[in-house]
Amino acid sequence: MSSDKIFESDMKNPAALLEEFFSKHEYLSPEEKEAVSKAWSLLVSKAGDRVRECGKPYYLHPLRVANILAESKLDSPTLVAAILHSIKDFDVSDEEIAKEFGENISKIVLTVNKILNLPINTKTMHQSDAIRNMLFAMCDDARIILITLADRLDRIRNIKNFTAADQHMIAQAVIEIWAPLADRLGMQAEKNEFEDLSLKYTNPSVFQQIKAIVSQKKDERASYLEKAVNSIYKSADKMGMKIEIQSRAKHFYSIYQKMRKRNKEAGELFDLLALRILCNTPAECYTLVGIVHGLWKPLDGRFKDYIAMPKANGYQSLHTTVMCEGKPLEIQIRTHDMHNMAEHGIASHWLYKKGSSRELVEEDRLAIYNKLQQFKDSLTEGNNFETLKNELLGDEIYVFTPKGDVKKLPMGATAIDFAYSVHSAVGEKIIAAKADGKIIPLSRPLQNTQIIEVITNPQAHPTEAQLKLVKTTKAHQKIHSWLMANDPTFSERLALKAEEQANAAGIEGTVGLAGGGATHFNRVKKTRPKKGKQEAGTEQKPHKKYGVLVQGDRRVLYNLAQCCKPEYPDLIAGYVTRTKGVSIHRADCLIYQRIPHKEERSVEVAWDSKENQ
């Protein structure tokens, strides 16, 4: 469907467009129309005469997105957020949106805007899964996902204005990200349209081939389906059941999948037709299966009961395939409520209650209303995760490289972890990092969906301070290995620390024996000689003391920081204090790294190798 066929009004007349929108969706109350009108007025005033690349007014796309959602009778806050979902392109602040429309709408707009601006790059199916999981992690409110899907659907409907390369890229993202997302939310109509339009631009020759086959002998097919439909109506009427039957050709992508699976051309496939029977109760569904199987012979292994065992996305229906006049005919049987759920999934639960109150269905009264949370718990089936609740929402974050590749890290991971996830060589040379274009401390935990850029220096190397910051096993192991190989004092400090911990835990003591007795043991404690003391059997060596050169000068007042107590030959850094001269820290000191604006007061420092007796 193109944008031209949605609204007949002059696209340069905002008032006429809004009036037509309301005429299409009469379920909205006067108060709801007022809220939508207010959002529309803000968008139109900010957009002005601005047009998109296609030459159409900027405000037309948000209204089309709202129209997609209104077709499912979604509530007015959802429509308001849909109209405003790209308002931040005009530097409208979150505070301004919250003041005019409320905190909830402001949050929805902010998150939708963030999702739509993610640098999504789907190189592999693993990447696609990671992105879909991340999107679920970002969306506490299901309406965020619904608006995002509507935006992507309108985009691919109007994809003809893009270049061929961009068309292929958009269509690829649709088939790998947005169609499966719609499927997981049970939004069958949207999923089918996503898939068909994606096929049209990723494999146009096959699309046209299927289109030609489906359109061939249209009258003959209509006559065939009409006979089948009349037979079912006649039998149902005898049973006193009121039913509705919809006949349809299968959607193109479904046919394409059958071609690939069976390695056949579209013309060689016979089961391209389907009927859908809608009734009022689950009991009638099973009665209708009996009627259909009485009319035509069912094919073995082609009956599926999704009413007794619904799909994970809430889909319910009975599926059977029968031989009707020598051709396989697929028939779906479901209630009207099941059909509404099958077509619109979670969106169907924003429908209004029947009656005059027009009160919105309360989400805590519908188990499926919190379907996002249920999906979060089941998304990783088949993967090496326990549950999405623990892995994704509690312990995992997803961040991007500047090229758009996804990196999954544990909650609390830092830019150092990110650098090692890119490559060990990058991790070893990291000196700083940017998140969404802004410098961040290496100690700061990363946040979901940030774009992380690593700044390296060939002279840099891993430090013990970094070892204490990292959360990933890879980063910890790599840093630890480097320190063991290159820092002579590191292993000594580890041994001393382990010894102190063992002593604190009371290792010295008794160990019970099998015979009921006890044996005593003593751990020999290694100690460093105190200043001025001499170990037995060793010769006293004079103690060397080193001063500090500040920008090459010995005469500058300085003090050694007590937080890290730097000693020669530690790498050191210095900055000018307000009252105590230059403060000297170990270069990897966490306290030093957290000093605000230290770069403005940093000075070059080095150990003075001249020995003081």
Side-chain angles (χ1 to χ4, degrees):
M1 183 184 295
S2 69
S3 60
D4 304 306
K5 296 181 181 178
I6 295 178
F7 298 110
E8 296 180 0
S9 303
D10 181 2
M11 67 178 67
K12 295 183 180 180
N13 187 337
L17 285 169
L18 184 63
E19 190 61 34
E20 185 179 350
F21 175 84
F22 287 146
S23 69
K24 290 175 177 289
H25 310 294
E26 296 180 351
Y27 73 93
L28 294 169
S29 69
E31 294 77 15
E32 291 169 322
K33 290 182 179 179
E34 183 179 350
V36 172
S37 298
K38 184 179 178 181
W40 179 246
S41 296
L42 176 62
L43 174 65
V44 170
S45 66
K46 293 292 183 180
D49 296 330
R50 182 170 168 179
V51 296
R52 298 182 185 269
E53 293 179 0
C54 61
K56 293 183 173 64
Y58 181 92
Y59 51 70
L60 193 58
H61 163 70
L63 190 63
R64 293 198 305 255
V65 171
N67 186 73
I68 291 171
L69 298 167
E71 287 172 350
S72 295
K73 293 185 170 60
L74 297 194
D75 62 340
S76 58
T78 309
L79 303 184
V80 168
I83 288 174
L84 298 176
H85 79 272
S86 55
I87 194 73
K88 294 179 75 65
D89 288 351
F90 302 100
D91 297 323
V92 178
S93 67
D94 299 333
E95 292 74 18
E96 185 177 348
I97 297 173
K99 181 180 178 181
E100 294 295 325
F101 303 97
E103 290 286 346
N104 194 34
I105 288 179
S106 176
K107 181 181 177 182
I108 293 173
V109 171
L110 176 64
T111 309
V112 169
N113 195 262
K114 190 170 186 179
I115 291 174
L116 294 178
N117 285 286
L118 290 175
I120 293 177
N121 180 8
T122 56
K123 291 183 178 179
T124 64
M125 288 306 295
H126 174 73
Q127 291 273 19
S128 303
D129 287 338
I131 293 170
R132 287 195 295 270
N133 290 354
M134 181 196 66
L135 293 177
F136 275 102
M138 293 175 66
C139 300
D140 296 328
D141 190 322
R143 288 171 289 190
I144 295 170
I145 284 282
L146 298 179
I147 295 170
T148 305
L149 285 171
D151 176 277
R152 299 294 90 173
L153 183 57
D154 184 71
R155 189 183 192 199
I156 197 167
R157 282 177 175 177
N158 295 275
I159 198 176
K160 64 181 180 181
N161 298 303
F162 292 87
T163 65
D166 285 344
Q167 286 177 351
H168 189 276
M169 180 183 68
I170 293 169
Q172 196 66 36
V174 162
I175 201 65
E176 293 179 358
I177 303 297
W178 306 109
L181 203 58
D183 185 41
R184 289 180 180 185
L185 288 170
M187 302 168 70
Q188 199 67 29
E190 288 82 356
K191 175 222 174 203
N192 290 347
E193 189 173 357
F194 270 133
E195 290 177 339
D196 284 354
L197 290 174
S198 175
L199 180 63
K200 183 177 180 179
Y201 293 99
T202 56
N203 203 332
S205 60
V206 170
F207 180 87
Q208 293 301 330
Q209 179 190 0
I210 295 173
K211 184 178 180 180
I213 294 296
V214 171
S215 63
Q216 284 176 3
K217 301 181 180 179
K218 189 175 182 180
D219 294 337
E220 178 184 328
R221 189 170 66 247
S223 175
Y224 164 77
L225 288 176
E226 185 179 2
K227 290 179 182 178
V229 167
N230 289 336
S231 296
I232 298 172
Y233 270 129
K234 186 176 180 180
S235 297
D237 188 56
K238 289 181 180 178
M239 300 291 292
M241 288 188 294
K242 292 184 178 181
I243 63 173
E244 176 187 342
I245 303 178
Q246 301 171 348
S247 61
R248 63 186 178 88
K250 292 186 177 179
H251 71 287
F252 290 6
Y253 191 79
S254 173
I255 297 172
Y256 172 63
Q257 292 292 73
K258 288 180 180 293
M259 290 169 58
R260 295 178 61 187
K261 184 177 181 180
R262 303 178 190 177
N263 195 26
K264 292 179 179 291
E265 294 292 324
E268 299 178 79
L269 299 175
F270 295 100
D271 52 343
L272 302 182
L273 307 174
L275 293 179
R276 182 179 296 129
I277 307 174
L278 304 181
C279 56
N280 296 311
T281 67
E284 289 184 350
C285 292
Y286 290 101
T287 300
L288 284 164
V289 169
I291 290 174
V292 168
H293 287 179
L295 291 170
W296 304 289
K297 181 181 179 181
L299 295 183
D300 289 340
R302 297 295 294 271
F303 175 73
K304 295 178 182 177
D305 187 346
Y306 294 118
I307 294 180
M309 293 182 291
K311 291 184 179 181
N313 60 13
Y315 176 87
Q316 288 184 290
S317 187
L318 299 178
H319 290 194
T320 187
T321 302
V322 297
M323 289 300 294
C324 176
E325 296 185 8
K327 298 177 183 178
L329 176 64
E330 182 181 294
I331 299 175
Q332 298 173 350
I333 305 170
R334 63 180 71 145
T335 67
H336 290 280
D337 287 341
M338 291 175 190
H339 179 61
N340 185 41
M341 177 60 194
E343 291 296 289
H344 302 293
I346 193 171
S348 65
H349 292 284
W350 264 268
L351 294 176
Y352 287 90
K353 293 177 180 177
K354 294 178 181 177
S356 59
S357 69
R358 304 186 67 80
E359 179 185 355
L360 190 62
V361 177
E362 296 177 14
E363 72 178 81
D364 59 358
R365 303 178 82 179
L366 286 166
I368 199 169
Y369 216 127
N370 289 320
K371 203 66 181 178
L372 277 181
Q373 187 60 51
Q374 296 178 24
F375 286 132
K376 287 173 182 176
D377 292 334
S378 63
L379 275 178
T380 53
E381 290 180 3
N383 294 344
N384 294 322
F385 307 121
E386 293 182 4
T387 63
L388 191 59
K389 180 179 179 182
N390 293 330
E391 285 290 324
L392 182 57
L393 301 181
D395 300 329
E396 301 285 348
I397 62 169
Y398 292 84
V399 292
F400 289 98
T401 69
K403 292 183 178 180
D405 295 331
V406 180
K407 295 294 180 183
K408 184 183 70 174
L409 298 169
M411 186 68 73
T414 66
I416 304 169
D417 293 293
F418 173 84
Y420 276 98
S421 74
V422 174
H423 197 281
S424 298
V426 177
E428 287 186 359
K429 302 302 179 183
I430 184 172
I431 58 169
K434 292 181 180 180
D436 296 330
K438 297 179 181 178
I439 291 286
I440 59 169
L442 293 181
S443 57
R444 179 180 296 174
L446 303 180
Q447 302 296 317
N448 252 325
T449 75
Q450 286 180 323
I451 301 171
I452 307 301
E453 180 182 350
V454 175
I455 301 171
T456 60
N457 186 311
Q459 306 303 318
H461 61 74
T463 67
E464 197 168 343
Q466 291 179 349
L467 189 66
K468 298 174 183 177
L469 290 175
V470 295
K471 298 293 183 182
T472 57
T473 302
K474 179 179 179 180
H476 192 279
Q477 289 177 343
K478 293 292 183 180
I479 296 172
H480 186 277
S481 298
W482 191 96
L483 292 172
M484 289 293 286
N486 297 279
D487 185 349
T489 64
F490 177 68
S491 58
E492 186 179 336
R493 287 195 299 274
L494 281 183
L496 183 61
K497 182 178 180 180
E499 189 173 330
E500 290 172 350
Q501 290 175 343
N503 289 337
I507 295 297
E508 237 177 10
T510 61
V511 177
L513 299 178
T519 182
H520 290 266
F521 71 91
N522 292 305
R523 179 181 292 276
V524 178
K525 184 178 180 181
K526 292 176 64 178
T527 58
R528 291 181 175 180
K530 296 181 179 180
K531 290 183 179 180
K533 300 288 183 180
Q534 182 176 347
E535 255 188 308
T538 64
E539 183 178 344
Q540 177 75 39
K541 291 184 179 180
H543 178 68
K544 291 184 179 181
K545 187 177 182 182
Y546 293 87
V548 174
L549 299 174
V550 178
Q551 293 186 330
D553 195 337
R554 296 190 180 94
R555 296 169 295 176
V556 179
L557 176 66
Y558 70 87
N559 69 86
L560 300 178
Q562 293 304 300
C563 54
C564 56
K565 297 181 180 179
E567 295 180 359
Y568 180 85
D570 293 338
L571 292 176
I572 55 175
Y575 77 101
V576 180
T577 67
R578 287 182 169 81
T579 58
K580 298 182 180 179
V582 177
S583 180
I584 309 299
H585 291 256
R586 282 173 45 175
D588 59 0
C589 173
L590 284 177
I591 300 298
Y592 172 74
Q593 291 180 1
R594 292 172 180 168
I595 295 172
H597 311 300
K598 66 177 182 296
E599 294 83 4
E600 301 170 6
R601 296 187 285 163
S602 295
V603 291
E604 183 180 346
V605 294
W607 293 110
D608 185 357
S609 58
K610 182 178 179 181
E611 182 181 331
N612 295 317
Q613 299 296 338

